[in-house]
C-alpha cells in the first residue's frame, strides 16, 4: 500500500487547517449561538471580548489530529482508486479513472475519516463555543481548561460514547460530500489540462478552491445539525437524535437554518482547499 499519499495528506491538511481555523471558529459560533447578528458582528465581538487568540480557540487538537484525519481521507481515497482501477497516483493522468470510481473512492475516504474525526471535532466545537476571554487573571474559568481537560470531562460525565456525540451526523455529512469534493477537483483539473499532462499550479489552486466550496455548500445543512448535536448534552439533552434535531431546528428557525454559516464556510473553503491540494500534488510529484 503506497504510504506517500497518507503523508502528503497529513502535511497538506495541516497547512490548510491553520489558514482556515479563524473562519471555522466564526462559523461554529454562528451555527450554535444566537447572540451574533452576522459574520462581521461575530468577528468584532470575538476580537473585542477575546482578542485575536479567540479566533484560534480549539486549534491545537485539530492540528494534532489532522495527521490521522487527512492522511486517512487522502490515503483511503487514493488506495480505493488503486483497488478499483489498478492505477497508481502517477498513472492516473495517462489513464484517468471514471467519475463513478472517483465518487466511490471519495465517499469511502469520507466515511472512514469521519469516524477518526468525530472525537476531535467534538472537542474542537466545544472549545470554540467557550466565549470566556483566554488567559485573563481574575476572570471566571471556562468549563474546559483545554483539549485534554475537555476530553477527560466528556469521558467522565458521558462515557466513551459521549466522545462520539454527533458522529452519525458527521458521517452523513462527510460520506457523500467527499465524493462531491474529489469529483469537482478532478473534473475541473481535466477541463483545464491538456490530455495526459499534469495540471498547472494555477489549475490545482482553482480546482482545489472550488472543490472545497462545492463540498461545503453540499455539507452545510448536515454541518449545522452536527454542530448542534455536539453541543447538545452540555447542560441537558435537547435532541433525541439527528432527525429530531433537524425537525426542531426547522420548526424554531425555518428552513434557512440549514444554510447557517454557508457564506463563511465557502469563504474559508476556497483558500484552505486550494492550499491543501497544491501542497498534496506538489509533495506527490516531489516523491514520485
Ligand atoms: C465536510 N466537507 C464538505 C469537507 N470536509 N470537505 C472537504 C474539505 C476538507 C478540508 N479539510 C476542509 O476542512 O475544508
Amino acid at each position: 500500500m503506497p504510504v506517500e499519499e497518507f503523508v502528503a495528506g497529513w502535511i497538506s491538511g495541516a497547512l490548510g487547517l491553520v489558514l482556515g481555523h479563524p473562519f471555522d471558529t466564526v462559523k461554529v459560533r454562528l451555527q450554535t449561538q444566537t447572540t451574533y447578528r452576522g459574520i462581521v458582528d461575530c468577528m468584532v465581538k470575538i476580537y473585542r471580548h477575546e482578542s485575536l487568540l479567540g479566533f484560534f480557540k480549539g486549534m491545537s487538537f485539530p492540528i494534532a489530529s489532522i495527521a490521522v484525519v487527512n492522511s486517512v481521507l487522502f490515503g483511503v481515497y487514493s488506495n480505493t482508486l488503486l483497488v478499483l482501477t489498478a492505477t497508481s497516483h502517477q498513472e492516473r493522468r495517462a489513464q484517468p479513472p471514471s467519475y463513478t470510481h472517483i465518487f466511490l473512492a471519495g465517499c469511502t475516504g469520507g466515511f472512514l475519516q469521519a469516524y477518526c474525526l468525530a472525537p476531535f471535532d467534538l472537542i474542537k466545537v466545544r472549545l470554540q463555543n467557550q466565549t470566556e476571554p483566554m488567559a485573563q487573571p481574575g476572570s471566571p474559568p471556562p468549563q474546559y481548561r483545554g483539549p485534554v481537560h475537555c476530553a477527560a470531562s466528556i469521558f467522565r460525565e458521558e462515557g466513551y460514547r459521549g466522545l462520539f456525540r454527533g458522529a452519525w451526523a458527521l458521517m452523513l455529512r462527510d460520506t457523500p460530500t467527499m465524493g462531491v469534493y474529489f469529483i469537482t477537483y478532478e473534473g475541473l483539473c481535466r477541463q483545464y489540462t491538456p490530455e495526459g499532462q499534469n495540471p498547472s499550479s494555477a489549475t490545482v489552486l482553482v480546482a482545489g478552491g472550488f472543490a472545497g466550496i462545492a463540498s461545503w455548500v453540499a455539507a452545510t445543512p448536515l454541518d449545522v445539525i452536527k454542530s448542534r448535536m455536539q453541543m447538545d448534552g452540555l447542560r441537558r439533552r435537547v435532541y433525541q437524535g439527528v432527525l429530531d434535531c433537524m425537525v426542531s431546528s426547522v420548526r424554531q428557525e425555518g428552513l434557512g437554518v440549514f444554510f447557517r454559516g454557508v457564506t463563511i464556510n465557502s469563504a474559508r473553503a476556497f483558500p484552505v482547499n486550494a492550499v491543501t491540494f497544491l501542497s498534496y500534488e506538489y509533495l506527490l510529484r516531489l516523491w514520485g
Side-chain angles (χ1 to χ4, degrees), residues 14-28:
L15 289 173
L17 189 127
V18 175
L19 195 69
H21 196 79
F23 295 95
D24 194 65
T25 301
V26 174
K27 176 206 81 175
V28 167

Side-chain angles (χ1 to χ4, degrees), residues 1 7 108 132 169 172 180 183 186 191:
M1 179 190 284
V7 182
T108 312
E132 293 84 359
L172 290 172
V180 171
I183 278 216
E186 271 302 319
Q191 186 79 27

Side-chain angles (χ1 to χ4, degrees), residues 70 173-174 177-178 181 215-216 219 268 272-273:
N70 236 45
R173 182 196 79 172
D174 281 8
T177 56
M178 288 303 184
Y181 183 57
S215 66
W216 275 110
R268 170 192 166 279
V272 167
N273 292 287

Side-chain angles (χ1 to χ4, degrees), residues 12-13 16-17 24 66 69-70 73-74 113 117 170 173-178 180-182 211-220 223 265 268-270 272-273 276-277:
S12 57
L17 189 127
D24 194 65
I66 200 84
V69 173
N70 236 45
L73 173 64
F74 280 86
Q113 74 110 41
L117 176 65
L170 185 66
R173 182 196 79 172
D174 281 8
T175 305
T177 56
M178 288 303 184
V180 171
Y181 183 57
F182 285 106
I213 293 185
S215 66
W216 275 110
V217 168
T220 299
D223 190 46
N265 252 347
R268 170 192 166 279
F270 194 93
V272 167
N273 292 287
T276 299
F277 272 107

